[in-house]
Amino acid sequence: MIITDTHTHLYSTEFDEDRNEMIQRAIDAGVSRFFIPAIDATFTQSMYDLEKAFPENIFLMMGLHPTHVKDNYLEELWHVEQELTKRKFFAIGEIGIDLYWDKTHLPQQQDAFRKQIQLAKQYKLPIVIHCREAFDEIFEILEEEKSADLFGIFHCFSGNYEQALQAISYNMKLGIGGVVTFKNGKIDQFLHQIDLKHIVLETDSPYLAPVPFRGKRNESSFLVNVIGKLSEIYNLPPEEIAQVTTDNSKLIFGI
């Protein structure tokens, strides 16, 4: 059973004490493909170090995270552009809009999102979208930019059924992780109406650990618990959930 974690922050300082052991636990559990989102320039070297340590398992993205869009965001976007010219990445991400913490930089977030979508089209790469309290703002830009060469993943999808269908209409897969196991997560109530071909798995580790680990540090091996919940929702064996979602991830990332 090959399981793909399409979104994990393995460079997080929360893994500094046991990173290699944690990654090995995941591999032992069948999670052998890890896609690593970028945040800003300060994390780039850590991402490269991870890839060097696990070259068969680690696949890197490049991008500027919306919560790190500050007054210097154009410098950060320049860094993204420069890195893209140097080597291969598998997505532009994570990018998007986050209005949960701070709304002051909304115009800059919108500009950064648009510019990075255009970079993704230029390099024929998928985008990985971060959306927090910003569905309308995200959809507005996706509507402007929609085209056959716009595709990707709506990371950590937490919207309703209508928003799920709208995301899918823009060639986005839904990134499903620990939230599907939460009693108040709500997505488990409609997910059975969404064809499994639109779903990929993710942890967003070290955040959003699934039940029974909720509130603790998340790690990629816990995807087994997410698969267990999806197995109930879709009434399919865990092996099939793993197979279809990994196939979906290959369609997006091209590997």
Side-chain angles (χ1 to χ4, degrees):
M1 186 162 70
I2 297 173
I3 303 169
T4 301
D5 188 346
T6 63
H7 201 107
T8 172
H9 298 272
L10 294 179
Y11 46 72
S12 168
T13 55
E14 294 197 35
F15 297 127
D16 283 355
E17 298 300 314
D18 64 342
R19 182 172 290 103
N20 288 358
E21 294 85 350
M22 181 272 298
I23 292 173
Q24 192 57 54
R25 269 198 300 278
I27 292 171
D28 291 345
V31 187
S32 56
R33 291 158 44 85
F34 309 88
F35 288 83
I36 313 297
I39 291 181
D40 65 19
T42 63
F43 290 90
T44 303
Q45 190 56 52
S46 301
M47 292 168 60
Y48 292 162
D49 293 344
L50 258 177
E51 181 188 50
K52 188 175 180 182
F54 294 89
E56 302 298 314
N57 309 97
I58 300 285
F59 306 94
L60 303 183
M61 309 180 204
M62 179 48 59
L64 175 61
H65 192 295
T67 62
H68 288 243
V69 171
K70 307 297 181 190
D71 292 336
N72 72 333
Y73 81 102
L74 291 175
E75 294 170 32
E76 284 285 349
L77 290 179
W78 173 247
H79 172 75
V80 170
E81 290 187 54
Q82 289 301 106
E83 295 307 298
L84 286 166
T85 65
K86 294 176 185 174
R87 50 155 295 149
K88 180 173 177 57
F89 292 93
F90 295 91
I92 304 295
E94 61 188 285
I95 65 175
I97 298 175
D98 188 314
L99 300 179
Y100 178 77
W101 299 106
D102 184 7
K103 296 179 175 65
T104 23
H105 288 92
L106 174 59
Q108 292 92 335
Q109 286 192 42
Q110 289 168 316
D111 189 43
F113 188 35
R114 279 193 192 92
K115 282 184 164 69
Q116 291 182 97
I117 288 174
Q118 288 155 13
L119 276 175
K121 290 178 178 179
Q122 179 185 333
Y123 284 90
K124 297 181 170 51
L125 291 173
I127 60 171
V128 173
I129 299 173
H130 173 108
C131 174
R132 196 164 184 194
E133 295 193 0
F135 276 105
D136 290 344
E137 291 80 1
I138 292 277
F139 285 145
E140 180 183 352
I141 292 174
L142 291 180
E143 182 64 29
E144 290 171 13
E145 295 288 339
K146 68 179 179 182
S147 62
D149 54 356
L150 174 65
F151 66 105
I153 296 172
F154 217 104
H155 150 60
C156 194
F157 184 80
S158 57
N160 58 34
Y161 177 62
E162 289 72 25
Q163 289 165 331
L165 294 181
Q166 194 167 351
I168 290 165
S169 77
Y170 295 119
N171 298 326
M172 299 295 145
K173 305 289 187 197
L174 307 182
I176 303 297
V179 173
V180 76
T181 69
F182 298 172
K183 283 183 180 175
N184 62 348
K186 297 181 181 174
I187 58 173
D188 61 316
Q189 295 168 21
F190 66 79
L191 209 55
H192 65 282
Q193 299 176 68
I194 304 290
D195 194 303
L196 194 59
K197 70 182 181 182
H198 299 302
I199 303 295
V200 293
L201 302 181
E202 61 166 69
T203 55
D204 200 22
S205 57
Y207 316 108
L208 296 172
V211 174
F213 306 105
R214 189 173 184 183
K216 298 180 180 176
R217 183 190 77 171
N218 199 5
E219 56 181 76
S220 292
S221 63
F222 297 168
L223 266 186
V224 172
N225 300 82
V226 175
I227 287 175
K229 181 66 176 181
L230 291 176
S231 182
E232 292 173 20
I233 289 171
Y234 285 100
N235 195 26
L236 292 170
E239 293 77 12
E240 189 169 344
I241 301 287
Q243 179 70 56
V244 173
T245 54
T246 285
D247 288 348
N248 295 343
S249 77
K250 290 177 179 178
L251 284 172
I252 292 293
F253 294 117
I255 191 168

